[in-house]
Amino acid sequence: MSLQTPPPASIGLPRLIAGGLVRYGLILALVAVFAAFSVVTPTFLTPANLQSILVNNFTLLAIVSVAMTFAVASGGIDLSVGTAMDFASFAFVSLVLAGQPVAVAALAGLAAGAFVGAFNALLISAIGVSPFLATLGTLFIGRSVQQLLTNGGNPVYLPPNGVPEAFRFLGHGTIAGFPVPLAAAIVVIAAAAVVFARTRFGRVILSIGIQPGVVRYSGIAAPAHVAVTFILVGLIAAIAGLILTATVTTYIPSSGNAFLLNAIGATFIGTTLSPLGRPNVGGTVLGALLLSIVANGLLLTDLNFYWQQVGTGTLIFAVLALSFINRKAAGA
Amino acid sequence: MSAEVEFAPSGFSAVEPPPRPVGNFAAAALRFGSLIAFAAILIIFSLTAPYFLSIGNIGNVLGQSAISGVLAIGLTIVLIAGGSNVVTGGIDLSLAANMGLSAAVYVSLTQLGYSDATAIAATILTGALIGTVNAIAVVYAGIVPLLATLAVMNVVAGLELVLTGNTVLPASTPFLSALSASDPFGIPVLAYVLLGFTAITTAIVQYTPLGLRLYAVGEFPDAARAAGLPLRRLLAGAFVASGVSGGIAGILSVSYLSGSTTGAGEMLLPVVVTALLGSVFSRRLVPTVTGTLLSALLVGFLVNGFQLLNISSTLVSGVQGVLILIVVSATTLLRRQEA
């Protein structure tokens, strides 16, 4: 991931600076945040901490954000990504606990995530409910179902001595020194990037998000594409659910929802990277990276934990404001 | 309730179908259908739980619905002025956090020895200030409301934590006691507050030219602009009004809980559901203040009936989810059928 140097901001034309901010606001923010934390906290710029950012903060958020990017690209939003994570996590842990092979349990987890996506797809494509409301309903129902399944929200633990090797490998293993969760995130990111850049499906999804009417009139089966998109969102979120479970060897009801707002934030911050403000995988990944760096860096400062939330929120707000003001100025 | 999510560059897409004219059959059927469903729920509960239909219990439900009702009505104003598109149109996700911070401000001030009057003024000002930040972000910076209010929500929730240290702060003042009391019939004062608040906002939103303009801005922005309405000011005003309701809800929650507690954010999604559900109680399926009140009471009665019948409260969010999906699906299918 190369952080390009932004164009020199010393040129005296305010408009040019503003123009640069439109395009490179996110990258500037990344560089600024990175530099600020390097100066303020002595431990930020250590290899151990940088790895911690990637493995502990970035991995799961990036995967969920990529899922969200698909939903947003198709012109919708998916508020139930956390639900898909949770269902996947629950199926995974339950089956491993029941003595099933890890591979079978993982497949069941992926199926559970896809099932949540399929439920959304049914509501959105077959009935025509708006994605926001459909996935909001799914979120509510999912919360209830999880509480029913767990006697009111009790976590499901795997006994410390009963964790299969393959399970542990998924959460804590390394491939040639590379943490498995991070490798999974990179595979998901790369696959998503290829789908958007190289496949017809990706182009159709983006067109549905931009010009639904035109897509309809050009004879493309838009509802079918949207349905596939939402199933895909559930499936990708399920991957995050599996990794989360494998890392903590526990299923905690409704824990996936913690990722929802940041995933939305990363996706929309990422749209600032595209000249026309479109969702894009690269931008989403940088957005997730920005949020991860901020979360990690603020933790290292002596700042009161609660101020950290204020800091993160203000930063997201500032990046969005910059981007939208400039987008408006650019007439897009 | 056509809440199509689109990201068309202009925000006003040509493919969005125009709202149906007044009095069409499907909408009427749905409207009465939802009222009938509401009545059916009340009847079932009153048959199965004897205490359900007593004046005291109804008053309780009204009182318990006061906080979410005030918040949902605030959100309704934004829904009206912002249009029905939930992403690019009107939504205020910062409302619940606003209530939490407002409550914290109220409690902190009374603990510092300030009078109720000062605390009330400061709390409502806090709410208005948060609304103003939203208004500036949405109307003048042009950030999509969903995102702007999401970011503001995070900041506000953080500020509440900073102020309270994530602890429960007790508060007890003469005003709060009066607010949490009940009248001789056993009806909580909060119930009257909810009815009064609804009456005032209904009067303004449904019966004044100002309210009509809010609808015009939300539903037909281009026409409203052509007619010379101050679009930006009206939309900004809606966000400020929503912020003020957050402040008022903050005061109510301090009275209801005898202090400020954490976890205000949990209110957000129920409030969004309440406000969105509200439009099925209106003739043209648009957000209305009275519709939102009905929907808040429907949710309140559901929760209450479940409690009386000893049904697990974990089902409540599931029922809310099913409810919104049924209502929205029915609306969508009816609209499609008639189109």
PDB file of all heavy atoms in Angstrom, chain A residues 75 127-130 133 136 139-140 144 147 261 268 306 309-310 313 324 328, chain B residues 3 5 140 142 147 150 153 155 158 161 166 269 276 314 317-318 320 332 336:
ATOM      1  N   GLY A  75     -26.132   0.856  -4.170  1.00  0.00           N
ATOM      2  CA  GLY A  75     -27.104   1.901  -3.886  1.00  0.00           C
ATOM      3  C   GLY A  75     -27.867   1.678  -2.601  1.00  0.00           C
ATOM      4  O   GLY A  75     -28.819   2.381  -2.315  1.00  0.00           O
ATOM      5  N   ILE A 127     -39.562  -8.311  -2.589  1.00  0.00           N
ATOM      6  CA  ILE A 127     -40.686  -7.509  -2.107  1.00  0.00           C
ATOM      7  C   ILE A 127     -40.495  -6.035  -2.432  1.00  0.00           C
ATOM      8  O   ILE A 127     -41.459  -5.312  -2.652  1.00  0.00           O
ATOM      9  CB  ILE A 127     -40.882  -7.716  -0.583  1.00  0.00           C
ATOM     10  CG1 ILE A 127     -41.140  -9.199  -0.303  1.00  0.00           C
ATOM     11  CG2 ILE A 127     -42.027  -6.867  -0.059  1.00  0.00           C
ATOM     12  CD1 ILE A 127     -41.376  -9.537   1.140  1.00  0.00           C
ATOM     13  N   GLY A 128     -39.258  -5.595  -2.488  1.00  0.00           N
ATOM     14  CA  GLY A 128     -39.017  -4.199  -2.840  1.00  0.00           C
ATOM     15  C   GLY A 128     -38.878  -3.269  -1.645  1.00  0.00           C
ATOM     16  O   GLY A 128     -38.998  -2.053  -1.768  1.00  0.00           O
ATOM     17  N   VAL A 129     -38.604  -3.839  -0.472  1.00  0.00           N
ATOM     18  CA  VAL A 129     -38.366  -3.021   0.709  1.00  0.00           C
ATOM     19  C   VAL A 129     -37.031  -2.303   0.539  1.00  0.00           C
ATOM     20  O   VAL A 129     -36.096  -2.858  -0.041  1.00  0.00           O
ATOM     21  CB  VAL A 129     -38.331  -3.906   1.968  1.00  0.00           C
ATOM     22  CG1 VAL A 129     -38.041  -3.093   3.203  1.00  0.00           C
ATOM     23  CG2 VAL A 129     -39.631  -4.670   2.119  1.00  0.00           C
ATOM     24  N   SER A 130     -36.939  -1.061   1.017  1.00  0.00           N
ATOM     25  CA  SER A 130     -35.670  -0.352   0.879  1.00  0.00           C
ATOM     26  C   SER A 130     -34.617  -1.034   1.752  1.00  0.00           C
ATOM     27  O   SER A 130     -34.934  -1.522   2.841  1.00  0.00           O
ATOM     28  CB  SER A 130     -35.818   1.103   1.296  1.00  0.00           C
ATOM     29  OG  SER A 130     -35.727   1.219   2.685  1.00  0.00           O
ATOM     30  N   LEU A 133     -34.430  -0.156   5.555  1.00  0.00           N
ATOM     31  CA  LEU A 133     -35.474  -0.684   6.427  1.00  0.00           C
ATOM     32  C   LEU A 133     -35.408  -2.202   6.511  1.00  0.00           C
ATOM     33  O   LEU A 133     -35.599  -2.774   7.591  1.00  0.00           O
ATOM     34  CB  LEU A 133     -36.845  -0.245   5.919  1.00  0.00           C
ATOM     35  CG  LEU A 133     -37.075   1.254   5.991  1.00  0.00           C
ATOM     36  CD1 LEU A 133     -38.406   1.613   5.368  1.00  0.00           C
ATOM     37  CD2 LEU A 133     -37.037   1.715   7.427  1.00  0.00           C
ATOM     38  N   LEU A 136     -32.569  -3.109   8.704  1.00  0.00           N
ATOM     39  CA  LEU A 136     -32.873  -2.684  10.074  1.00  0.00           C
ATOM     40  C   LEU A 136     -33.765  -3.728  10.733  1.00  0.00           C
ATOM     41  O   LEU A 136     -33.546  -4.124  11.888  1.00  0.00           O
ATOM     42  CB  LEU A 136     -33.569  -1.316  10.057  1.00  0.00           C
ATOM     43  CG  LEU A 136     -33.921  -0.700  11.407  1.00  0.00           C
ATOM     44  CD1 LEU A 136     -32.671  -0.316  12.155  1.00  0.00           C
ATOM     45  CD2 LEU A 136     -34.806   0.525  11.238  1.00  0.00           C
ATOM     46  N   LEU A 139     -31.760  -6.701  11.563  1.00  0.00           N
ATOM     47  CA  LEU A 139     -30.942  -6.427  12.744  1.00  0.00           C
ATOM     48  C   LEU A 139     -31.737  -6.686  14.019  1.00  0.00           C
ATOM     49  O   LEU A 139     -31.264  -7.350  14.946  1.00  0.00           O
ATOM     50  CB  LEU A 139     -30.449  -4.983  12.690  1.00  0.00           C
ATOM     51  CG  LEU A 139     -29.800  -4.384  13.929  1.00  0.00           C
ATOM     52  CD1 LEU A 139     -28.483  -5.067  14.221  1.00  0.00           C
ATOM     53  CD2 LEU A 139     -29.567  -2.900  13.749  1.00  0.00           C
ATOM     54  N   PHE A 140     -32.964  -6.176  14.048  1.00  0.00           N
ATOM     55  CA  PHE A 140     -33.803  -6.333  15.245  1.00  0.00           C
ATOM     56  C   PHE A 140     -34.148  -7.803  15.482  1.00  0.00           C
ATOM     57  O   PHE A 140     -34.034  -8.317  16.590  1.00  0.00           O
ATOM     58  CB  PHE A 140     -35.097  -5.535  15.077  1.00  0.00           C
ATOM     59  CG  PHE A 140     -34.980  -4.121  15.536  1.00  0.00           C
ATOM     60  CD1 PHE A 140     -34.626  -3.119  14.665  1.00  0.00           C
ATOM     61  CD2 PHE A 140     -35.226  -3.786  16.851  1.00  0.00           C
ATOM     62  CE1 PHE A 140     -34.505  -1.825  15.087  1.00  0.00           C
ATOM     63  CE2 PHE A 140     -35.112  -2.482  17.280  1.00  0.00           C
ATOM     64  CZ  PHE A 140     -34.746  -1.494  16.388  1.00  0.00           C
ATOM     65  N   SER A 144     -33.057 -10.507  18.618  1.00  0.00           N
ATOM     66  CA  SER A 144     -33.999 -11.315  19.382  1.00  0.00           C
ATOM     67  C   SER A 144     -33.669 -12.803  19.283  1.00  0.00           C
ATOM     68  O   SER A 144     -33.649 -13.511  20.288  1.00  0.00           O
ATOM     69  CB  SER A 144     -35.415 -11.067  18.857  1.00  0.00           C
ATOM     70  OG  SER A 144     -36.282 -10.757  19.901  1.00  0.00           O
ATOM     71  N   GLN A 147     -30.788 -13.780  21.378  1.00  0.00           N
ATOM     72  CA  GLN A 147     -31.082 -13.847  22.812  1.00  0.00           C
ATOM     73  C   GLN A 147     -31.865 -15.105  23.144  1.00  0.00           C
ATOM     74  O   GLN A 147     -31.664 -15.720  24.189  1.00  0.00           O
ATOM     75  CB  GLN A 147     -31.828 -12.592  23.241  1.00  0.00           C
ATOM     76  CG  GLN A 147     -30.915 -11.375  23.225  1.00  0.00           C
ATOM     77  CD  GLN A 147     -31.567 -10.152  23.798  1.00  0.00           C
ATOM     78  OE1 GLN A 147     -32.777  -9.996  23.724  1.00  0.00           O
ATOM     79  NE2 GLN A 147     -30.775  -9.256  24.348  1.00  0.00           N
ATOM     80  N   LEU A 261     -21.064   0.640  12.758  1.00  0.00           N
ATOM     81  CA  LEU A 261     -20.922   2.071  12.493  1.00  0.00           C
ATOM     82  C   LEU A 261     -19.564   2.385  11.886  1.00  0.00           C
ATOM     83  O   LEU A 261     -19.452   3.215  10.976  1.00  0.00           O
ATOM     84  CB  LEU A 261     -21.140   2.862  13.779  1.00  0.00           C
ATOM     85  CG  LEU A 261     -22.565   2.742  14.329  1.00  0.00           C
ATOM     86  CD1 LEU A 261     -22.719   3.544  15.597  1.00  0.00           C
ATOM     87  CD2 LEU A 261     -23.580   3.182  13.299  1.00  0.00           C
ATOM     88  N   PHE A 268     -17.839   5.161   3.686  1.00  0.00           N
ATOM     89  CA  PHE A 268     -18.172   6.499   3.189  1.00  0.00           C
ATOM     90  C   PHE A 268     -16.965   7.423   3.197  1.00  0.00           C
ATOM     91  O   PHE A 268     -16.832   8.283   2.329  1.00  0.00           O
ATOM     92  CB  PHE A 268     -19.334   7.089   3.972  1.00  0.00           C
ATOM     93  CG  PHE A 268     -20.661   6.574   3.494  1.00  0.00           C
ATOM     94  CD1 PHE A 268     -21.230   5.458   4.067  1.00  0.00           C
ATOM     95  CD2 PHE A 268     -21.318   7.181   2.440  1.00  0.00           C
ATOM     96  CE1 PHE A 268     -22.438   4.961   3.614  1.00  0.00           C
ATOM     97  CE2 PHE A 268     -22.528   6.696   1.980  1.00  0.00           C
ATOM     98  CZ  PHE A 268     -23.094   5.582   2.563  1.00  0.00           C
ATOM     99  N   TYR A 306     -12.472   8.076  27.270  1.00  0.00           N
ATOM    100  CA  TYR A 306     -13.717   8.635  26.736  1.00  0.00           C
ATOM    101  C   TYR A 306     -13.446   9.763  25.747  1.00  0.00           C
ATOM    102  O   TYR A 306     -14.208   9.986  24.811  1.00  0.00           O
ATOM    103  CB  TYR A 306     -14.615   9.103  27.875  1.00  0.00           C
ATOM    104  CG  TYR A 306     -14.911   7.993  28.845  1.00  0.00           C
ATOM    105  CD1 TYR A 306     -14.750   8.166  30.212  1.00  0.00           C
ATOM    106  CD2 TYR A 306     -15.309   6.750  28.381  1.00  0.00           C
ATOM    107  CE1 TYR A 306     -15.004   7.134  31.093  1.00  0.00           C
ATOM    108  CE2 TYR A 306     -15.561   5.707  29.252  1.00  0.00           C
ATOM    109  CZ  TYR A 306     -15.415   5.910  30.600  1.00  0.00           C
ATOM    110  OH  TYR A 306     -15.663   4.884  31.461  1.00  0.00           O
ATOM    111  N   GLN A 309     -13.143   8.561  22.087  1.00  0.00           N
ATOM    112  CA  GLN A 309     -14.321   8.448  21.240  1.00  0.00           C
ATOM    113  C   GLN A 309     -14.663   9.807  20.615  1.00  0.00           C
ATOM    114  O   GLN A 309     -15.013   9.902  19.446  1.00  0.00           O
ATOM    115  CB  GLN A 309     -15.496   7.935  22.062  1.00  0.00           C
ATOM    116  CG  GLN A 309     -16.659   7.547  21.184  1.00  0.00           C
ATOM    117  CD  GLN A 309     -17.794   6.943  21.982  1.00  0.00           C
ATOM    118  OE1 GLN A 309     -17.642   6.581  23.144  1.00  0.00           O
ATOM    119  NE2 GLN A 309     -18.946   6.833  21.365  1.00  0.00           N
ATOM    120  N   VAL A 310     -14.527  10.845  21.451  1.00  0.00           N
ATOM    121  CA  VAL A 310     -14.765  12.188  20.933  1.00  0.00           C
ATOM    122  C   VAL A 310     -13.783  12.476  19.803  1.00  0.00           C
ATOM    123  O   VAL A 310     -14.152  13.001  18.743  1.00  0.00           O
ATOM    124  CB  VAL A 310     -14.616  13.244  22.055  1.00  0.00           C
ATOM    125  CG1 VAL A 310     -14.866  14.638  21.516  1.00  0.00           C
ATOM    126  CG2 VAL A 310     -15.554  12.927  23.206  1.00  0.00           C
ATOM    127  N   GLY A 313     -14.688  10.503  16.601  1.00  0.00           N
ATOM    128  CA  GLY A 313     -15.873  11.072  15.973  1.00  0.00           C
ATOM    129  C   GLY A 313     -15.575  12.387  15.285  1.00  0.00           C
ATOM    130  O   GLY A 313     -15.994  12.638  14.144  1.00  0.00           O
ATOM    131  N   PHE A 324     -17.052  16.578   1.550  1.00  0.00           N
ATOM    132  CA  PHE A 324     -18.330  16.997   0.967  1.00  0.00           C
ATOM    133  C   PHE A 324     -18.318  18.461   0.546  1.00  0.00           C
ATOM    134  O   PHE A 324     -18.869  18.814  -0.481  1.00  0.00           O
ATOM    135  CB  PHE A 324     -19.481  16.723   1.931  1.00  0.00           C
ATOM    136  CG  PHE A 324     -19.988  15.317   1.829  1.00  0.00           C
ATOM    137  CD1 PHE A 324     -19.403  14.292   2.543  1.00  0.00           C
ATOM    138  CD2 PHE A 324     -21.049  15.006   0.993  1.00  0.00           C
ATOM    139  CE1 PHE A 324     -19.866  12.993   2.445  1.00  0.00           C
ATOM    140  CE2 PHE A 324     -21.524  13.715   0.881  1.00  0.00           C
ATOM    141  CZ  PHE A 324     -20.918  12.711   1.618  1.00  0.00           C
ATOM    142  N   LYS A 328     -18.869  19.534  -3.268  1.00  0.00           N
ATOM    143  CA  LYS A 328     -19.886  20.494  -3.663  1.00  0.00           C
ATOM    144  C   LYS A 328     -19.243  21.615  -4.488  1.00  0.00           C
ATOM    145  O   LYS A 328     -19.773  22.039  -5.506  1.00  0.00           O
ATOM    146  CB  LYS A 328     -20.571  21.062  -2.422  1.00  0.00           C
ATOM    147  CG  LYS A 328     -22.043  21.254  -2.627  1.00  0.00           C
ATOM    148  CD  LYS A 328     -22.808  21.398  -1.324  1.00  0.00           C
ATOM    149  CE  LYS A 328     -22.382  22.594  -0.504  1.00  0.00           C
ATOM    150  NZ  LYS A 328     -23.384  22.916   0.537  1.00  0.00           N
TER     151      LYS A 328
ATOM    152  N   ALA B   3     -38.827   4.760   0.684  1.00  0.00           N
ATOM    153  CA  ALA B   3     -37.523   5.138   1.213  1.00  0.00           C
ATOM    154  C   ALA B   3     -36.473   4.490   0.343  1.00  0.00           C
ATOM    155  O   ALA B   3     -35.730   3.630   0.764  1.00  0.00           O
ATOM    156  CB  ALA B   3     -37.397   4.690   2.656  1.00  0.00           C
ATOM    157  N   VAL B   5     -33.146   3.970  -1.440  1.00  0.00           N
ATOM    158  CA  VAL B   5     -31.813   4.448  -1.142  1.00  0.00           C
ATOM    159  C   VAL B   5     -31.068   4.615  -2.449  1.00  0.00           C
ATOM    160  O   VAL B   5     -30.858   3.670  -3.187  1.00  0.00           O
ATOM    161  CB  VAL B   5     -31.094   3.451  -0.231  1.00  0.00           C
ATOM    162  CG1 VAL B   5     -29.679   3.895   0.017  1.00  0.00           C
ATOM    163  CG2 VAL B   5     -31.849   3.335   1.072  1.00  0.00           C
ATOM    164  N   TYR B 140     -25.155  23.118   5.217  1.00  0.00           N
ATOM    165  CA  TYR B 140     -24.149  24.041   4.678  1.00  0.00           C
ATOM    166  C   TYR B 140     -22.885  23.323   4.196  1.00  0.00           C
ATOM    167  O   TYR B 140     -22.291  23.739   3.207  1.00  0.00           O
ATOM    168  CB  TYR B 140     -23.848  25.136   5.697  1.00  0.00           C
ATOM    169  CG  TYR B 140     -25.091  25.943   5.980  1.00  0.00           C
ATOM    170  CD1 TYR B 140     -25.850  25.743   7.133  1.00  0.00           C
ATOM    171  CD2 TYR B 140     -25.575  26.872   5.041  1.00  0.00           C
ATOM    172  CE1 TYR B 140     -27.023  26.447   7.367  1.00  0.00           C
ATOM    173  CE2 TYR B 140     -26.738  27.580   5.252  1.00  0.00           C
ATOM    174  CZ  TYR B 140     -27.462  27.364   6.417  1.00  0.00           C
ATOM    175  OH  TYR B 140     -28.631  28.052   6.619  1.00  0.00           O
ATOM    176  N   GLY B 142     -23.068  20.138   3.352  1.00  0.00           N
ATOM    177  CA  GLY B 142     -23.575  19.218   2.340  1.00  0.00           C
ATOM    178  C   GLY B 142     -23.266  17.756   2.605  1.00  0.00           C
ATOM    179  O   GLY B 142     -23.286  16.939   1.695  1.00  0.00           O
ATOM    180  N   LEU B 147     -24.565  10.199   7.404  1.00  0.00           N
ATOM    181  CA  LEU B 147     -23.167  10.228   7.824  1.00  0.00           C
ATOM    182  C   LEU B 147     -22.898  11.348   8.809  1.00  0.00           C
ATOM    183  O   LEU B 147     -22.229  11.157   9.818  1.00  0.00           O
ATOM    184  CB  LEU B 147     -22.267  10.423   6.613  1.00  0.00           C
ATOM    185  CG  LEU B 147     -22.304   9.313   5.600  1.00  0.00           C
ATOM    186  CD1 LEU B 147     -21.411   9.638   4.436  1.00  0.00           C
ATOM    187  CD2 LEU B 147     -21.871   8.040   6.266  1.00  0.00           C
ATOM    188  N   LEU B 150     -24.293  10.496  12.048  1.00  0.00           N
ATOM    189  CA  LEU B 150     -23.555   9.358  12.597  1.00  0.00           C
ATOM    190  C   LEU B 150     -22.281   9.840  13.292  1.00  0.00           C
ATOM    191  O   LEU B 150     -21.959   9.431  14.412  1.00  0.00           O
ATOM    192  CB  LEU B 150     -23.200   8.387  11.477  1.00  0.00           C
ATOM    193  CG  LEU B 150     -22.575   7.059  11.832  1.00  0.00           C
ATOM    194  CD1 LEU B 150     -23.600   6.179  12.527  1.00  0.00           C
ATOM    195  CD2 LEU B 150     -22.048   6.361  10.596  1.00  0.00           C
ATOM    196  N   MET B 153     -23.174  11.747  16.333  1.00  0.00           N
ATOM    197  CA  MET B 153     -23.587  10.797  17.364  1.00  0.00           C
ATOM    198  C   MET B 153     -22.379  10.300  18.152  1.00  0.00           C
ATOM    199  O   MET B 153     -22.393  10.267  19.383  1.00  0.00           O
ATOM    200  CB  MET B 153     -24.297   9.621  16.710  1.00  0.00           C
ATOM    201  CG  MET B 153     -24.677   8.519  17.671  1.00  0.00           C
ATOM    202  SD  MET B 153     -25.246   7.051  16.812  1.00  0.00           S
ATOM    203  CE  MET B 153     -23.719   6.165  16.671  1.00  0.00           C
ATOM    204  N   VAL B 155     -19.425  11.699  18.490  1.00  0.00           N
ATOM    205  CA  VAL B 155     -18.828  12.778  19.278  1.00  0.00           C
ATOM    206  C   VAL B 155     -19.660  13.024  20.534  1.00  0.00           C
ATOM    207  O   VAL B 155     -19.128  13.121  21.644  1.00  0.00           O
ATOM    208  CB  VAL B 155     -18.724  14.064  18.434  1.00  0.00           C
ATOM    209  CG1 VAL B 155     -18.186  15.202  19.276  1.00  0.00           C
ATOM    210  CG2 VAL B 155     -17.837  13.829  17.223  1.00  0.00           C
ATOM    211  N   GLY B 158     -19.371  10.341  23.064  1.00  0.00           N
ATOM    212  CA  GLY B 158     -18.084  10.468  23.736  1.00  0.00           C
ATOM    213  C   GLY B 158     -18.105  11.568  24.778  1.00  0.00           C
ATOM    214  O   GLY B 158     -17.621  11.393  25.895  1.00  0.00           O
ATOM    215  N   LEU B 161     -19.727  10.468  27.887  1.00  0.00           N
ATOM    216  CA  LEU B 161     -18.849   9.632  28.704  1.00  0.00           C
ATOM    217  C   LEU B 161     -17.833  10.484  29.451  1.00  0.00           C
ATOM    218  O   LEU B 161     -17.533  10.245  30.622  1.00  0.00           O
ATOM    219  CB  LEU B 161     -18.133   8.610  27.814  1.00  0.00           C
ATOM    220  CG  LEU B 161     -19.022   7.536  27.208  1.00  0.00           C
ATOM    221  CD1 LEU B 161     -18.235   6.651  26.262  1.00  0.00           C
ATOM    222  CD2 LEU B 161     -19.639   6.699  28.314  1.00  0.00           C
ATOM    223  N   ASN B 166     -18.819   7.566  32.553  1.00  0.00           N
ATOM    224  CA  ASN B 166     -19.529   6.302  32.329  1.00  0.00           C
ATOM    225  C   ASN B 166     -20.117   5.748  33.619  1.00  0.00           C
ATOM    226  O   ASN B 166     -20.129   4.548  33.846  1.00  0.00           O
ATOM    227  CB  ASN B 166     -18.606   5.264  31.676  1.00  0.00           C
ATOM    228  CG  ASN B 166     -19.398   4.197  30.942  1.00  0.00           C
ATOM    229  OD1 ASN B 166     -20.609   4.331  30.764  1.00  0.00           O
ATOM    230  ND2 ASN B 166     -18.725   3.160  30.510  1.00  0.00           N
ATOM    231  N   LEU B 269     -32.203   2.855  17.683  1.00  0.00           N
ATOM    232  CA  LEU B 269     -32.924   2.090  16.669  1.00  0.00           C
ATOM    233  C   LEU B 269     -34.418   1.989  16.977  1.00  0.00           C
ATOM    234  O   LEU B 269     -35.231   2.165  16.064  1.00  0.00           O
ATOM    235  CB  LEU B 269     -32.262   0.733  16.453  1.00  0.00           C
ATOM    236  CG  LEU B 269     -30.915   0.865  15.743  1.00  0.00           C
ATOM    237  CD1 LEU B 269     -30.212  -0.462  15.630  1.00  0.00           C
ATOM    238  CD2 LEU B 269     -31.063   1.489  14.369  1.00  0.00           C
ATOM    239  N   LEU B 276     -40.329   5.757  11.688  1.00  0.00           N
ATOM    240  CA  LEU B 276     -40.602   5.245  10.340  1.00  0.00           C
ATOM    241  C   LEU B 276     -41.950   4.536  10.282  1.00  0.00           C
ATOM    242  O   LEU B 276     -42.682   4.647   9.301  1.00  0.00           O
ATOM    243  CB  LEU B 276     -39.486   4.294   9.900  1.00  0.00           C
ATOM    244  CG  LEU B 276     -38.126   4.941   9.641  1.00  0.00           C
ATOM    245  CD1 LEU B 276     -37.096   3.883   9.320  1.00  0.00           C
ATOM    246  CD2 LEU B 276     -38.209   5.946   8.513  1.00  0.00           C
ATOM    247  N   THR B 314     -36.994 -10.287  25.724  1.00  0.00           N
ATOM    248  CA  THR B 314     -36.038 -10.420  24.616  1.00  0.00           C
ATOM    249  C   THR B 314     -36.779 -10.505  23.292  1.00  0.00           C
ATOM    250  O   THR B 314     -36.201 -10.281  22.235  1.00  0.00           O
ATOM    251  CB  THR B 314     -35.190 -11.694  24.768  1.00  0.00           C
ATOM    252  OG1 THR B 314     -36.074 -12.807  24.829  1.00  0.00           O
ATOM    253  CG2 THR B 314     -34.348 -11.654  25.995  1.00  0.00           C
ATOM    254  N   SER B 317     -37.563  -6.820  20.726  1.00  0.00           N
ATOM    255  CA  SER B 317     -36.874  -6.284  19.549  1.00  0.00           C
ATOM    256  C   SER B 317     -37.202  -7.121  18.328  1.00  0.00           C
ATOM    257  O   SER B 317     -37.326  -6.604  17.218  1.00  0.00           O
ATOM    258  CB  SER B 317     -35.368  -6.209  19.797  1.00  0.00           C
ATOM    259  OG  SER B 317     -34.765  -7.448  19.561  1.00  0.00           O
ATOM    260  N   GLY B 318     -37.393  -8.415  18.526  1.00  0.00           N
ATOM    261  CA  GLY B 318     -37.781  -9.272  17.408  1.00  0.00           C
ATOM    262  C   GLY B 318     -39.144  -8.873  16.869  1.00  0.00           C
ATOM    263  O   GLY B 318     -39.341  -8.782  15.654  1.00  0.00           O
ATOM    264  N   GLN B 320     -40.517  -5.959  17.134  1.00  0.00           N
ATOM    265  CA  GLN B 320     -40.353  -4.677  16.446  1.00  0.00           C
ATOM    266  C   GLN B 320     -39.828  -4.896  15.033  1.00  0.00           C
ATOM    267  O   GLN B 320     -40.296  -4.266  14.085  1.00  0.00           O
ATOM    268  CB  GLN B 320     -39.384  -3.773  17.210  1.00  0.00           C
ATOM    269  CG  GLN B 320     -40.021  -3.094  18.399  1.00  0.00           C
ATOM    270  CD  GLN B 320     -39.039  -2.207  19.125  1.00  0.00           C
ATOM    271  OE1 GLN B 320     -37.840  -2.463  19.143  1.00  0.00           O
ATOM    272  NE2 GLN B 320     -39.537  -1.153  19.724  1.00  0.00           N
ATOM    273  N   THR B 332     -45.049  -1.508   0.463  1.00  0.00           N
ATOM    274  CA  THR B 332     -44.397  -1.620  -0.844  1.00  0.00           C
ATOM    275  C   THR B 332     -45.273  -2.397  -1.816  1.00  0.00           C
ATOM    276  O   THR B 332     -45.471  -1.992  -2.965  1.00  0.00           O
ATOM    277  CB  THR B 332     -43.052  -2.336  -0.693  1.00  0.00           C
ATOM    278  OG1 THR B 332     -42.395  -1.817   0.459  1.00  0.00           O
ATOM    279  CG2 THR B 332     -42.185  -2.121  -1.908  1.00  0.00           C
ATOM    280  N   ARG B 336     -47.070  -1.132  -5.238  1.00  0.00           N
ATOM    281  CA  ARG B 336     -46.725  -1.702  -6.527  1.00  0.00           C
ATOM    282  C   ARG B 336     -47.995  -2.162  -7.247  1.00  0.00           C
ATOM    283  O   ARG B 336     -48.179  -1.944  -8.435  1.00  0.00           O
ATOM    284  CB  ARG B 336     -45.789  -2.885  -6.312  1.00  0.00           C
ATOM    285  CG  ARG B 336     -45.160  -3.362  -7.595  1.00  0.00           C
ATOM    286  CD  ARG B 336     -44.449  -4.659  -7.357  1.00  0.00           C
ATOM    287  NE  ARG B 336     -43.190  -4.465  -6.642  1.00  0.00           N
ATOM    288  CZ  ARG B 336     -42.445  -5.485  -6.240  1.00  0.00           C
ATOM    289  NH1 ARG B 336     -42.854  -6.719  -6.447  1.00  0.00           N
ATOM    290  NH2 ARG B 336     -41.321  -5.262  -5.615  1.00  0.00           N
TER     291      ARG B 336
END
